[in-house]
PDB file of all heavy atoms in Angstrom:
ATOM      1  N   ASN U 136     -10.698  -3.239  -3.392  1.00 94.00           N
ATOM      2  CA  ASN U 136     -10.213  -1.865  -3.364  1.00 94.00           C
ATOM      3  C   ASN U 136      -9.012  -1.777  -2.422  1.00 94.00           C
ATOM      4  O   ASN U 136      -8.669  -2.731  -1.726  1.00 94.00           O
ATOM      5  CB  ASN U 136     -11.326  -0.889  -2.968  1.00 94.00           C
ATOM      6  CG  ASN U 136     -11.910  -1.187  -1.601  1.00 94.00           C
ATOM      7  OD1 ASN U 136     -11.201  -1.568  -0.663  1.00 94.00           O
ATOM      8  ND2 ASN U 136     -13.222  -1.018  -1.454  1.00 94.00           N
ATOM      9  N   LEU U 137      -8.368  -0.621  -2.390  1.00 93.00           N
ATOM     10  CA  LEU U 137      -7.122  -0.498  -1.636  1.00 93.00           C
ATOM     11  C   LEU U 137      -7.334  -0.725  -0.145  1.00 93.00           C
ATOM     12  O   LEU U 137      -6.511  -1.378   0.516  1.00 93.00           O
ATOM     13  CB  LEU U 137      -6.495   0.879  -1.890  1.00 93.00           C
ATOM     14  CG  LEU U 137      -5.006   1.034  -1.558  1.00 93.00           C
ATOM     15  CD1 LEU U 137      -4.170  -0.031  -2.254  1.00 93.00           C
ATOM     16  CD2 LEU U 137      -4.514   2.423  -1.952  1.00 93.00           C
ATOM     17  N   ASP U 138      -8.435  -0.223   0.407  1.00 92.00           N
ATOM     18  CA  ASP U 138      -8.706  -0.426   1.834  1.00 92.00           C
ATOM     19  C   ASP U 138      -8.906  -1.912   2.152  1.00 92.00           C
ATOM     20  O   ASP U 138      -8.399  -2.416   3.157  1.00 92.00           O
ATOM     21  CB  ASP U 138      -9.955   0.360   2.258  1.00 92.00           C
ATOM     22  CG  ASP U 138      -9.696   1.855   2.353  1.00 92.00           C
ATOM     23  OD1 ASP U 138      -8.530   2.238   2.548  1.00 92.00           O
ATOM     24  OD2 ASP U 138     -10.658   2.632   2.224  1.00 92.00           O
ATOM     25  N   ALA U 139      -9.642  -2.623   1.291  1.00 94.00           N
ATOM     26  CA  ALA U 139      -9.886  -4.054   1.512  1.00 94.00           C
ATOM     27  C   ALA U 139      -8.590  -4.844   1.434  1.00 94.00           C
ATOM     28  O   ALA U 139      -8.361  -5.772   2.224  1.00 94.00           O
ATOM     29  CB  ALA U 139     -10.891  -4.571   0.480  1.00 94.00           C
ATOM     30  N   LEU U 140      -7.708  -4.484   0.497  1.00 95.00           N
ATOM     31  CA  LEU U 140      -6.434  -5.192   0.364  1.00 95.00           C
ATOM     32  C   LEU U 140      -5.519  -4.914   1.551  1.00 95.00           C
ATOM     33  O   LEU U 140      -4.785  -5.797   1.999  1.00 95.00           O
ATOM     34  CB  LEU U 140      -5.752  -4.795  -0.945  1.00 95.00           C
ATOM     35  CG  LEU U 140      -6.441  -5.314  -2.219  1.00 95.00           C
ATOM     36  CD1 LEU U 140      -5.793  -4.729  -3.455  1.00 95.00           C
ATOM     37  CD2 LEU U 140      -6.402  -6.835  -2.264  1.00 95.00           C
ATOM     38  N   CYS U 141      -5.556  -3.692   2.068  1.00 93.00           N
ATOM     39  CA  CYS U 141      -4.768  -3.381   3.265  1.00 93.00           C
ATOM     40  C   CYS U 141      -5.201  -4.260   4.426  1.00 93.00           C
ATOM     41  O   CYS U 141      -4.366  -4.808   5.161  1.00 93.00           O
ATOM     42  CB  CYS U 141      -4.922  -1.903   3.632  1.00 93.00           C
ATOM     43  SG  CYS U 141      -3.986  -0.769   2.592  1.00 93.00           S
ATOM     44  N   LYS U 142      -6.498  -4.416   4.596  1.00 93.00           N
ATOM     45  CA  LYS U 142      -7.017  -5.257   5.675  1.00 93.00           C
ATOM     46  C   LYS U 142      -6.619  -6.715   5.442  1.00 93.00           C
ATOM     47  O   LYS U 142      -6.205  -7.411   6.383  1.00 93.00           O
ATOM     48  CB  LYS U 142      -8.544  -5.125   5.750  1.00 93.00           C
ATOM     49  CG  LYS U 142      -9.179  -5.895   6.898  1.00 93.00           C
ATOM     50  CD  LYS U 142     -10.674  -5.634   6.964  1.00 93.00           C
ATOM     51  CE  LYS U 142     -11.311  -6.383   8.126  1.00 93.00           C
ATOM     52  NZ  LYS U 142     -12.783  -6.139   8.201  1.00 93.00           N
ATOM     53  N   GLY U 145      -2.867  -7.119   6.148  1.00 92.00           N
ATOM     54  CA  GLY U 145      -2.374  -6.649   7.436  1.00 92.00           C
ATOM     55  C   GLY U 145      -1.563  -5.375   7.359  1.00 92.00           C
ATOM     56  O   GLY U 145      -0.616  -5.182   8.124  1.00 92.00           O
ATOM     57  N   ILE U 146      -1.923  -4.459   6.458  1.00 90.00           N
ATOM     58  CA  ILE U 146      -1.210  -3.195   6.298  1.00 90.00           C
ATOM     59  C   ILE U 146      -1.985  -2.095   7.016  1.00 90.00           C
ATOM     60  O   ILE U 146      -3.178  -1.900   6.788  1.00 90.00           O
ATOM     61  CB  ILE U 146      -1.051  -2.842   4.806  1.00 90.00           C
ATOM     62  CG1 ILE U 146      -0.168  -3.892   4.124  1.00 90.00           C
ATOM     63  CG2 ILE U 146      -0.466  -1.456   4.624  1.00 90.00           C
ATOM     64  CD1 ILE U 146      -0.152  -3.801   2.616  1.00 90.00           C
ATOM     65  N   ASP U 147      -1.307  -1.364   7.887  1.00 85.00           N
ATOM     66  CA  ASP U 147      -1.941  -0.300   8.662  1.00 85.00           C
ATOM     67  C   ASP U 147      -2.118   0.936   7.776  1.00 85.00           C
ATOM     68  O   ASP U 147      -1.159   1.579   7.380  1.00 85.00           O
ATOM     69  CB  ASP U 147      -1.073   0.049   9.878  1.00 85.00           C
ATOM     70  CG  ASP U 147      -1.695   1.153  10.724  1.00 85.00           C
ATOM     71  OD1 ASP U 147      -2.877   1.488  10.498  1.00 85.00           O
ATOM     72  OD2 ASP U 147      -0.986   1.698  11.596  1.00 85.00           O
ATOM     73  N   ASN U 148      -3.371   1.261   7.466  1.00 81.00           N
ATOM     74  CA  ASN U 148      -3.647   2.481   6.706  1.00 81.00           C
ATOM     75  C   ASN U 148      -4.559   3.416   7.503  1.00 81.00           C
ATOM     76  O   ASN U 148      -5.341   4.173   6.943  1.00 81.00           O
ATOM     77  CB  ASN U 148      -4.288   2.139   5.353  1.00 81.00           C
ATOM     78  CG  ASN U 148      -5.682   1.535   5.482  1.00 81.00           C
ATOM     79  OD1 ASN U 148      -6.019   0.971   6.522  1.00 81.00           O
ATOM     80  ND2 ASN U 148      -6.496   1.647   4.445  1.00 81.00           N
ATOM     81  N   SER U 149      -4.435   3.345   8.835  1.00 79.00           N
ATOM     82  CA  SER U 149      -5.280   4.162   9.708  1.00 79.00           C
ATOM     83  C   SER U 149      -5.007   5.651   9.534  1.00 79.00           C
ATOM     84  O   SER U 149      -5.843   6.488   9.872  1.00 79.00           O
ATOM     85  CB  SER U 149      -5.063   3.762  11.174  1.00 79.00           C
ATOM     86  OG  SER U 149      -3.698   3.891  11.542  1.00 79.00           O
ATOM     87  N   HIS U 150      -3.821   5.997   9.001  1.00 71.00           N
ATOM     88  CA  HIS U 150      -3.469   7.403   8.777  1.00 71.00           C
ATOM     89  C   HIS U 150      -4.109   7.939   7.493  1.00 71.00           C
ATOM     90  O   HIS U 150      -3.975   9.110   7.174  1.00 71.00           O
ATOM     91  CB  HIS U 150      -1.950   7.541   8.671  1.00 71.00           C
ATOM     92  CG  HIS U 150      -1.320   6.561   7.741  1.00 71.00           C
ATOM     93  ND1 HIS U 150      -1.133   5.234   8.074  1.00 71.00           N
ATOM     94  CD2 HIS U 150      -0.860   6.696   6.480  1.00 71.00           C
ATOM     95  CE1 HIS U 150      -0.572   4.602   7.047  1.00 71.00           C
ATOM     96  NE2 HIS U 150      -0.405   5.458   6.072  1.00 71.00           N
ATOM     97  N   ARG U 151      -4.831   7.099   6.779  1.00 66.00           N
ATOM     98  CA  ARG U 151      -5.412   7.474   5.485  1.00 66.00           C
ATOM     99  C   ARG U 151      -6.860   7.906   5.687  1.00 66.00           C
ATOM    100  O   ARG U 151      -7.796   7.155   5.492  1.00 66.00           O
ATOM    101  CB  ARG U 151      -5.326   6.288   4.524  1.00 66.00           C
ATOM    102  CG  ARG U 151      -5.844   6.539   3.104  1.00 66.00           C
ATOM    103  CD  ARG U 151      -5.636   5.268   2.280  1.00 66.00           C
ATOM    104  NE  ARG U 151      -6.046   5.415   0.898  1.00 66.00           N
ATOM    105  CZ  ARG U 151      -7.151   4.889   0.384  1.00 66.00           C
ATOM    106  NH1 ARG U 151      -7.977   4.210   1.151  1.00 66.00           N
ATOM    107  NH2 ARG U 151      -7.431   5.045  -0.897  1.00 66.00           N
ATOM    108  N   GLU U 152      -7.060   9.147   6.094  1.00 59.00           N
ATOM    109  CA  GLU U 152      -8.406   9.669   6.304  1.00 59.00           C
ATOM    110  C   GLU U 152      -9.023  10.125   4.983  1.00 59.00           C
ATOM    111  O   GLU U 152     -10.230  10.037   4.792  1.00 59.00           O
ATOM    112  CB  GLU U 152      -8.365  10.822   7.307  1.00 59.00           C
ATOM    113  CG  GLU U 152      -7.899  10.382   8.701  1.00 59.00           C
ATOM    114  CD  GLU U 152      -7.833  11.531   9.673  1.00 59.00           C
ATOM    115  OE1 GLU U 152      -8.152  12.668   9.275  1.00 59.00           O
ATOM    116  OE2 GLU U 152      -7.461  11.296  10.838  1.00 59.00           O
ATOM    117  N   LEU U 153      -8.204  10.671   4.088  1.00 62.00           N
ATOM    118  CA  LEU U 153      -8.641  11.071   2.759  1.00 62.00           C
ATOM    119  C   LEU U 153      -7.703  10.445   1.737  1.00 62.00           C
ATOM    120  O   LEU U 153      -6.584  10.055   2.055  1.00 62.00           O
ATOM    121  CB  LEU U 153      -8.615  12.602   2.605  1.00 62.00           C
ATOM    122  CG  LEU U 153      -9.623  13.408   3.424  1.00 62.00           C
ATOM    123  CD1 LEU U 153      -9.298  14.891   3.342  1.00 62.00           C
ATOM    124  CD2 LEU U 153     -11.052  13.179   2.941  1.00 62.00           C
ATOM    125  N   LEU U 158       0.304   9.392  -0.893  1.00 91.00           N
ATOM    126  CA  LEU U 158       0.008   8.457   0.190  1.00 91.00           C
ATOM    127  C   LEU U 158      -0.545   7.147  -0.370  1.00 91.00           C
ATOM    128  O   LEU U 158      -0.136   6.057   0.047  1.00 91.00           O
ATOM    129  CB  LEU U 158      -0.992   9.076   1.162  1.00 91.00           C
ATOM    130  CG  LEU U 158      -1.485   8.169   2.300  1.00 91.00           C
ATOM    131  CD1 LEU U 158      -0.328   7.681   3.149  1.00 91.00           C
ATOM    132  CD2 LEU U 158      -2.506   8.907   3.161  1.00 91.00           C
ATOM    133  N   ASP U 159      -1.463   7.234  -1.327  1.00 94.00           N
ATOM    134  CA  ASP U 159      -2.041   6.018  -1.898  1.00 94.00           C
ATOM    135  C   ASP U 159      -1.004   5.222  -2.686  1.00 94.00           C
ATOM    136  O   ASP U 159      -1.040   3.988  -2.703  1.00 94.00           O
ATOM    137  CB  ASP U 159      -3.235   6.371  -2.789  1.00 94.00           C
ATOM    138  CG  ASP U 159      -4.489   6.684  -1.984  1.00 94.00           C
ATOM    139  OD1 ASP U 159      -4.410   6.662  -0.738  1.00 94.00           O
ATOM    140  OD2 ASP U 159      -5.536   6.962  -2.581  1.00 94.00           O
ATOM    141  N   ILE U 162       1.026   3.341  -0.059  1.00 94.00           N
ATOM    142  CA  ILE U 162       0.272   2.202   0.462  1.00 94.00           C
ATOM    143  C   ILE U 162       0.181   1.098  -0.588  1.00 94.00           C
ATOM    144  O   ILE U 162       0.341  -0.095  -0.283  1.00 94.00           O
ATOM    145  CB  ILE U 162      -1.136   2.646   0.911  1.00 94.00           C
ATOM    146  CG1 ILE U 162      -1.036   3.582   2.125  1.00 94.00           C
ATOM    147  CG2 ILE U 162      -2.006   1.438   1.242  1.00 94.00           C
ATOM    148  CD1 ILE U 162      -2.354   4.202   2.529  1.00 94.00           C
ATOM    149  N   ALA U 180       4.528   5.237   5.333  1.00 39.00           N
ATOM    150  CA  ALA U 180       3.828   6.510   5.467  1.00 39.00           C
ATOM    151  C   ALA U 180       3.351   6.724   6.889  1.00 39.00           C
ATOM    152  O   ALA U 180       2.275   7.225   7.132  1.00 39.00           O
ATOM    153  CB  ALA U 180       2.638   6.535   4.499  1.00 39.00           C
TER     154      ALA U 180
END
Side-chain angles (χ1 to χ4, degrees):
N136 59 38
L137 199 54
D138 286 336
L140 290 173
C141 284
K142 184 176 181 180
I146 296 169
D147 180 11
N148 67 337
S149 57
H150 49 284
R151 182 178 182 254
E152 296 179 0
L153 292 170
L158 175 59
D159 282 2
I162 293 173

